[in-house]
Amino acid sequence: MKYPLNVRVNGVETSVDVEPHRSLLNVLREDIGLTGPKEGCDDSECGACMVLVDGRPVNSCSYLALQTDGREITTIEGVSEPSCPHSIQQALLEEGGVQCGFCTPGIVMSAKALLDANPSCDEDEVRLALGGNLCRCTGYQKIVRAVLRAAEQLQDRAGTTG
Amino acid sequence: MSETLDLREQAIRKWGSDNRAIRKGKWIGKPARRLEDPRYLTGAARYVADLELPRMLHAVYVRSPHPHARIVSIDKSVLPGLGKTVFAFTGEDLRDVPPLIDHVALDNLLRTPQPVIAIGKVRFVGDAVAIVLAADRYAAEDAAELLSSVVEYEELPPVPNVAASGASDAALLFEELGTNEIYREAITHGEVDEAFAKADRVFSTPFEHNRYMAAPMETRGVLADYDRADQQLTVWSSTQMPHFLRSVIAGQLGLPENKVRVIAPEVGGGFGMKMCTVPEEIAIPFIATQLGRPVKWIEDRHEHLIAATHSKQQSINLEVAVTNDGKILGVRGEFVGDGGGYSFNTESALIEPALAAKALPGPYRIENYREEVGAFLTNKSPVAAYRGVGWTAANTARELLFDEAARGLGIDPAEFRRRNMLRSDELPYLSCTGQVYDSGSYLESLDKALEAVDYQAFRQRQEELRQQGRYIGLGISSYVEQTAWGSESSAQAGTPLPSHDNATVTVDPSGKVTVAVSVSSHGQGHETSLAQIAADGLGVDIKDVVLLHGDTSNTPYGLGTYASRSAVIGGATVARAAADVREQILQVAGKMLEASPEDLVIEDGKVSVAGTPSRFKTLADVAYAAHWDSEVRNSEPLLSATRFYDPPANYANGCVVALCEVDADTGVVTLDRIVAVEDCGMVINPMIVEAQVHGAIVQGLGGAMLEHLIYSDEGQPLTTTYMDYLVPTFSDVPPIEVISIETPSPFTVGGIKGMGEGGQIAAPAALANAVADALAPFGARIEKLPITPDYVLRLMGKIG
């Protein structure tokens, strides 16, 4: 038995019929065609599937799709336009915080959630906020640097405009 | 000295006179941002799991819940819709597919053929019993669960570890072999007995190296599609070796190799695990040929932790004979591998113990050495490659023992190392195990690392804090890293595997550059580093270079990416091919500019007469003319060349120093700082090198402090999720500083050495020595990893 799911995904009103047992990750990837969020563990332990639901980071592998009815979902595909990367994406590029890329979408989403909520975060706060995102390639050093750099840039920008 | 000079000359003669031919311009040595990153950062990168084909079936494995059992029956008829909506294959259905066998060329190594789905018996929890397929993964999972519930087994006594495996009444994993011990060999180098007889002191340590695994963020996965009309098989696999996999698939399935195409799309980390051909990479394509429908298998994390290959586990007994003033006279070592249920292809169960034995001498002058290597089968997931194969264990055991010896002799551990370490002017050096260290900075690396942490000040502070009941420690780990696995490196490692790789560089009619390589990136940034080499070779911007890799249909044959080989081999093949294409361009441009090709330079995409920059043609103009202007084109008009490289062995080196504090009440170790000195010869992209060092060190940190694949005495895996198997997180990692020394290899093109593994080779010993140093007042000796809080409390005598 399928039920209607109406969500706003990356700013686009989207309607799909889904079975109640299906995860948000599965529906995003298979029904909506957004393969940026990844399945790394299917158990809420690695963060590769991180997306934002109403701005809050969730492991979409362990979130039922129907729970998001009427809500706003942001995936890695909705963070920026290719011609105008988000500060976090730009900072990861400049600091060299990407290797195999599999964890990267989840890292970007967790970092975005952190910076949206706390743009003046320090290193400890970055490490804590990203504690649910595993990366096997980078040893985390350059990612931490990148998120702090993005925070600085966002603050500078806020300072200029505000 | 004359002998070492001979070595150098022999190597250079053997490998050709253009070994140093690499053109350095604006790009090599620059921390260029990675060209591949935008697609990773935006979610556009496509891994195997992201691929869909029409009529695709999802495959789910039924895996053994028993460590050791006979398969009595599998009743597929319980599956509703069998043959219509649900399909199932057992080992019997794949009986015609030959088993996988290792390729190691050693006569006295017993072989353990592994059917791609188990036939008759299972040998570890997770061994493949059947594959169930349906159009939807949920449906396939449900059907697999149903089938799993009706498989009948006759349980056999489990063999959970080496001690049980070697027992006289042990159950045999392969009855036909008559033993579980598949290899035993001892080799003596020099005069070992005399060395031990002369020694003032002998120090020894038993060391149990833990079983841990690569666990890349992307699990394994295969998608296979067979076109019955063209009899063409296409396989997308998360592999490090697409060409080699194509050869194996063609052989196993009896297909012409030119009818098999293997694509490694984006690969989410490999670290050696995705080198070997895994049974799934044969079974899934076979089923696709049988059903005539695309078949996709994506491993889940639970399955990965029990059924993907494990690594590193071995027992090492080391003894070192020394004089009172700290000179090493000789070493004896026994290395026994716990190989798991099958001695795995490609490198067999020897991949850990034999490589450890050969690499044991490291950066030290050890002339008398007896190595004994054994390997046993046990009912656990097979052991195969993971970053730092064998070398991690050897380095950890050796560096721990040397600290032990230094403490016993009352010599500072850094000083003990200095007294025995090879000086730069002793290189090239032929180690007693036959490894030719080409060049390096062993002492300089040690000194630089100690200087960075202000070693003397640390010792003073350590003493002060001890008075206050606080325990800080510093651990040193020096290493050499064998790199650039071609024919010679693999032979020097002890497991010969003839190999070479190739690159094709092409300039198209618009003047843009396409580079196709047989090495295959899975996170290393080849699209940038190899583009840097091509860009300098041809005098263009890296943005004008497109790098193709990972697809056997558009890249030349070669082995792929493993064993820190791609910078050296991939780099050289690209440099050589680019040099040839440069000559072709200059021939055409010479005619266009009415100048001798020797008088021309290419810079910033323009070909000009040296010293007269106003006389130029753009590369686009020259490339266009080369293709379309019959007046100036070459006799072979294409601007393209394919070149190969099979490098001489070469060895990177470095030193990792770790600082920690141990909480004497809880046993918790806080890592304060890690400093790594890395010497990998000529650096192509320092940002990428630094990133590789960070990643390798943190994997080593995981193995030393957290990661442990635990089996119960009954052979059941107990670490089957990331809640039990702890890989390092953002919170577990201290600041890591990387210091670079560049000692170019005299043997390789451009002086490049590999460097992917040093961090994982060296970090565990640095961390373990730091903890042992902190706990020196307790007389602590670290004899196993990982160093968990309860083990620390045991070392301190606080718990039994």
Side-chain angles (χ1 to χ4, degrees):
Chain A
M1 175 80 186
K2 291 185 176 180
Y3 296 85
L5 170 67
N6 295 297
V7 283
R8 198 173 161 83
V9 183
N10 297 333
V12 179
E13 298 296 343
T14 306
S15 299
V16 284
D17 291 333
V18 302
E19 290 146 326
H21 63 265
R22 293 183 63 204
S23 69
L24 176 59
L25 176 65
N26 191 269
V27 170
L28 285 171
R29 288 175 56 84
E30 293 191 3
D31 296 26
I32 303 177
L34 295 171
T35 56
K38 304 297 181 202
E39 181 183 310
C41 70
D42 203 23
D43 223 358
S44 287
E45 290 156 5
C46 81
C49 65
M50 201 71 75
V51 302
L52 306 185
V53 176
D54 291 341
R56 290 185 53 237
V58 303
N59 283 303
S60 61
C61 72
S62 304
Y63 209 88
L64 292 173
L66 286 173
Q67 283 178 291
T68 63
D69 192 50
R71 301 170 76 174
E72 168 107 34
I73 298 168
T74 311
T75 71
I76 183 68
E77 290 92 342
V79 166
S80 66
E81 292 296 313
S83 56
C84 182
H86 189 281
S87 299
I88 297 161
Q89 293 167 314
Q90 189 62 31
L92 282 165
L93 177 73
E94 285 167 10
E95 290 288 347
V98 181
Q99 287 191 34
C100 82
F102 198 82
C103 73
T104 306
I107 299 261
V108 171
M109 299 318 291
S110 289
K112 177 171 162 37
L114 168 68
L115 296 184
D116 287 349
N118 178 13
S120 57
C121 54
D122 63 20
E123 178 168 344
D124 286 346
E125 288 167 324
V126 171
R127 288 185 183 270
L128 190 66
L130 296 183
N133 291 84
L134 298 179
C135 168
R136 199 56 165 162
C137 295
T138 64
Y140 304 112
Q141 307 289 312
K142 290 173 182 286
I143 298 176
V144 171
R145 262 190 253 159
V147 178
L148 290 170
R149 178 175 181 155
E152 262 172 46
Q153 283 170 354
L154 288 169
Q155 284 184 75
D156 288 352
R157 214 173 292 163
T160 342
T161 53
Chain B
M1 187 55 117
S2 64
E3 192 190 348
T4 59
L5 283 176
D6 279 353
L7 284 170
R8 186 195 298 256
E9 283 168 3
Q10 277 169 23
I12 291 168
R13 263 204 306 278
K14 186 171 174 186
W15 302 100
S17 57
D18 67 342
N19 272 351
R20 304 305 303 274
I22 195 161
R23 187 173 287 274
K24 273 181 89 166
K26 292 184 170 174
W27 292 102
I28 293 174
K30 296 287 183 304
R33 291 171 192 164
R34 300 197 338 164
L35 298 169
E36 49 270 78
D37 282 359
R39 66 177 188 267
Y40 298 127
L41 286 161
T42 55
R46 312 264 287 168
Y47 303 78
V48 180
D50 303 332
L51 307 175
E52 297 274 337
L53 291 175
R55 299 184 71 237
M56 187 175 85
L57 293 166
H58 291 262
V60 172
Y61 272 80
V62 173
R63 294 188 180 274
S64 171
H66 303 295
H68 198 189
R70 281 187 213 296
I71 301 169
V72 178
S73 70
I74 307 173
D75 183 5
K76 292 195 285 188
S77 71
V78 298
L79 295 173
L82 184 67
K84 299 186 183 77
T85 54
V86 171
F87 305 89
F89 290 81
T90 66
E92 293 296 337
D93 298 321
L94 274 72
R95 203 171 253 290
D96 291 341
V97 179
L100 292 166
I101 303 177
D102 72 75
H103 302 256
V104 174
L106 288 170
D107 292 339
N108 54 344
L109 172 66
L110 300 180
R111 312 292 158 162
T112 61
Q114 180 180 19
V116 295
I117 303 179
I119 298 173
K121 74 184 279 192
V122 288
R123 296 181 175 85
F124 64 97
V125 173
D127 208 349
V129 173
I131 299 174
V132 179
L133 306 103
D136 167 82
R137 182 158 174 190
Y138 284 99
E141 293 273 4
D142 286 346
E145 199 176 316
L146 179 60
L147 186 62
S148 185
S149 69
V150 301
V151 180
E152 269 188 73
Y153 298 94
E154 175 197 337
E155 288 187 61
L156 298 168
V159 179
N161 52 45
V162 164
S165 181
S168 57
D169 59 347
L172 297 177
L173 274 79
F174 285 80
E175 288 85 355
E176 60 274 30
L177 298 180
T179 177
N180 290 324
E181 184 175 18
I182 57 168
Y183 186 79
R184 177 67 67 168
E185 184 73 48
I187 306 172
T188 300
H189 312 279
E191 309 291 336
V192 179
D193 293 342
E194 288 81 343
F196 275 78
K198 274 194 296 192
D200 293 323
R201 301 281 299 275
V202 171
F203 295 90
S204 64
T205 183
F207 181 67
E208 289 295 328
H209 201 288
N210 51 326
R211 175 176 280 249
Y212 62 104
M213 73 190 297
M217 289 305 298
E218 184 205 22
T219 56
R220 298 176 299 158
V222 182
L223 167 62
D225 183 28
Y226 186 63
D227 179 333
R228 283 179 165 168
D230 285 346
Q231 297 175 13
Q232 167 73 41
L233 176 68
T234 305
V235 178
W236 292 260
S237 183
S238 186
T239 179
Q240 300 173 216
M241 301 176 70
H243 290 278
F244 186 74
L245 179 59
R246 182 183 72 165
S247 296
V248 177
I249 290 172
Q252 296 293 111
L253 301 190
L255 296 170
E257 197 162 334
N258 63 357
K259 289 287 191 182
V260 180
R261 175 184 178 191
V262 173
I263 302 169
E266 302 292 353
V267 174
F271 316 113
M273 169 187 276
K274 293 175 180 171
M275 268 181 76
C276 292
T277 306
V278 294
E280 292 86 349
E281 287 175 313
I282 305 299
I284 298 297
F286 174 82
I287 291 171
T289 65
Q290 299 302 296
L291 296 177
R293 289 176 67 174
V295 175
K296 178 157 94 169
W297 166 69
I298 302 299
E299 183 179 53
D300 69 31
R301 184 59 62 180
H302 168 78
E303 191 177 20
H304 184 81
L305 290 169
I306 64 168
T309 53
H310 293 173
S311 71
K312 308 280 183 197
Q313 186 171 22
Q314 58 178 302
S315 307
I316 301 177
N317 281 300
L318 272 193
E319 295 173 283
V320 60
V322 290
T323 62
N324 280 329
D325 61 358
K327 181 172 190 287
I328 296 170
L329 300 177
V331 175
R332 288 195 288 243
E334 185 193 20
F335 305 79
V336 178
D338 179 336
Y342 301 89
S343 175
F344 210 66
N345 80 92
T346 303
E347 297 275 358
S348 88
L350 294 182
I351 191 157
E352 276 298 319
L355 270 65
K358 284 280 177 288
L360 190 278
Y364 304 99
R365 210 178 289 105
I366 295 173
E367 282 157 7
N368 305 304
Y369 170 48
R370 179 184 152 88
E371 47 164 315
E372 181 166 343
V373 173
F376 286 84
L377 301 172
T378 56
N379 290 124
K380 293 189 275 200
S381 191
V383 163
Y386 174 27
R387 201 176 203 167
V389 281
W391 308 322
T392 305
N395 220 75
T396 307
R398 185 194 66 232
E399 295 293 300
L400 275 169
L401 179 62
F402 284 6
D403 264 25
E404 185 78 23
R407 267 193 293 275
L409 292 167
I411 299 174
D412 179 273
E415 183 54 30
F416 180 84
R417 285 174 173 76
R418 276 193 204 100
R419 289 182 192 175
N420 293 289
M421 203 170 256
L422 292 161
R423 299 183 313 272
S424 305
D425 63 8
E426 290 176 86
L427 310 182
Y429 176 85
L430 176 63
S431 85
C432 66
T433 55
Q435 306 196 330
V436 184
Y437 302 157
D438 55 307
S439 64
S441 55
Y442 307 167
L443 281 157
E444 295 84 346
S445 297
L446 172 65
D447 289 341
K448 250 192 196 314
L450 294 176
E451 187 188 309
V453 298
D454 198 349
Y455 186 61
Q456 292 312 328
F458 175 88
R459 288 291 176 215
Q460 215 170 354
R461 186 154 171 271
Q462 181 180 43
E463 204 43 55
E464 289 161 17
L465 288 177
R466 274 182 189 164
Q467 307 304 323
Q468 304 166 23
R470 284 179 60 189
Y471 301 96
I472 61 171
L474 181 150
I476 303 169
S477 175
S478 293
Y479 67 96
V480 290
E481 175 191 355
Q482 192 195 43
T483 79
W485 266 41
S487 304
E488 197 179 80
S489 276
S490 61
Q492 288 185 11
T495 47
L497 181 68
S499 63
H500 62 87
D501 281 74
N502 298 276
T504 302
V505 171
T506 304
V507 174
D508 63 39
S510 77
K512 301 294 185 194
V513 182
T514 301
V515 178
V517 293
S518 60
V519 295
S520 187
S521 185
H522 43 287
Q524 294 85 348
H526 293 167
E527 290 173 45
T528 308
S529 55
L530 297 180
Q532 288 176 265
I533 289 178
D536 276 356
L538 293 168
V540 299
D541 190 285
I542 55 168
K543 292 205 170 73
D544 290 327
V545 180
V546 165
L547 193 96
L548 304 177
H549 63 94
D551 183 345
T552 59
S553 72
N554 63 15
T555 59
Y557 197 89
L559 281 196
T561 292
Y562 57 94
S564 302
R565 68 200 300 277
S566 292
V568 183
I569 305 180
T573 57
V574 172
R576 285 177 162 183
D580 286 2
V581 174
R582 181 189 183 87
E583 289 305 313
Q584 296 162 0
I585 292 166
L586 294 182
Q587 290 295 331
V588 176
K591 289 176 217 159
M592 294 171 77
L593 290 164
E594 294 175 342
S596 166
E598 296 90 69
D599 296 335
L600 299 178
V601 294
I602 316 180
E603 208 174 341
D604 297 334
K606 289 177 186 166
V607 189
S608 63
V609 179
T612 319
S614 57
R615 272 181 73 197
F616 76 92
K617 293 280 177 190
T618 65
L619 188 56
D621 288 341
V622 178
Y624 185 89
H627 287 82
W628 303 119
D629 183 347
S630 55
E631 296 294 315
V632 300
R633 76 181 182 202
N634 294 327
S635 56
E636 293 289 338
L638 291 186
L639 301 176
S640 185
T642 300
R643 292 294 299 272
F644 101 108
Y645 194 46
D646 182 2
N650 60 91
Y651 293 76
N653 72 275
C655 180
V656 174
V657 170
L659 277 62
C660 77
E661 178 164 3
V662 178
D663 183 320
D665 294 325
T666 62
V668 169
V669 177
T670 302
L671 302 175
D672 294 323
R673 187 178 173 194
I674 295 175
V675 171
V677 177
E678 172 71 41
D679 185 346
C680 59
M682 190 191 77
V683 171
I684 303 165
N685 182 323
M687 183 183 82
I688 290 176
V689 166
E690 187 185 52
Q692 285 284 319
V693 175
H694 287 161
I697 283 180
V698 171
Q699 289 186 335
L701 184 160
M705 311 303 292
L706 299 163
E707 296 177 40
H708 194 188
L709 290 157
I710 302 170
Y711 282 80
S712 72
D713 289 345
E714 295 76 37
Q716 284 292 334
L718 303 179
T719 40
T720 62
T721 72
Y722 275 149
M723 296 292 274
D724 322 300
Y725 186 73
L726 304 178
V727 301
T729 70
F730 273 92
S731 312
D732 299 315
V733 177
I736 301 171
E737 299 153 55
V738 181
I739 298 166
S740 177
I741 297 179
E742 291 195 37
T743 309
S745 173
F747 292 176
T748 65
V749 169
I752 306 168
K753 301 173 187 175
M755 54 73 53
E757 298 163 272
Q760 165 127 256
I761 293 168
L767 297 165
N769 273 336
V771 175
D773 182 49
L775 299 181
F778 299 89
R781 285 174 55 143
I782 289 174
E783 296 179 347
K784 64 175 188 178
L785 299 177
I787 304 168
T788 52
D790 64 309
Y791 183 45
V792 170
L793 292 176
R794 254 176 257 280
L795 290 170
M796 298 172 76
K798 296 205 166 184
I799 57 175

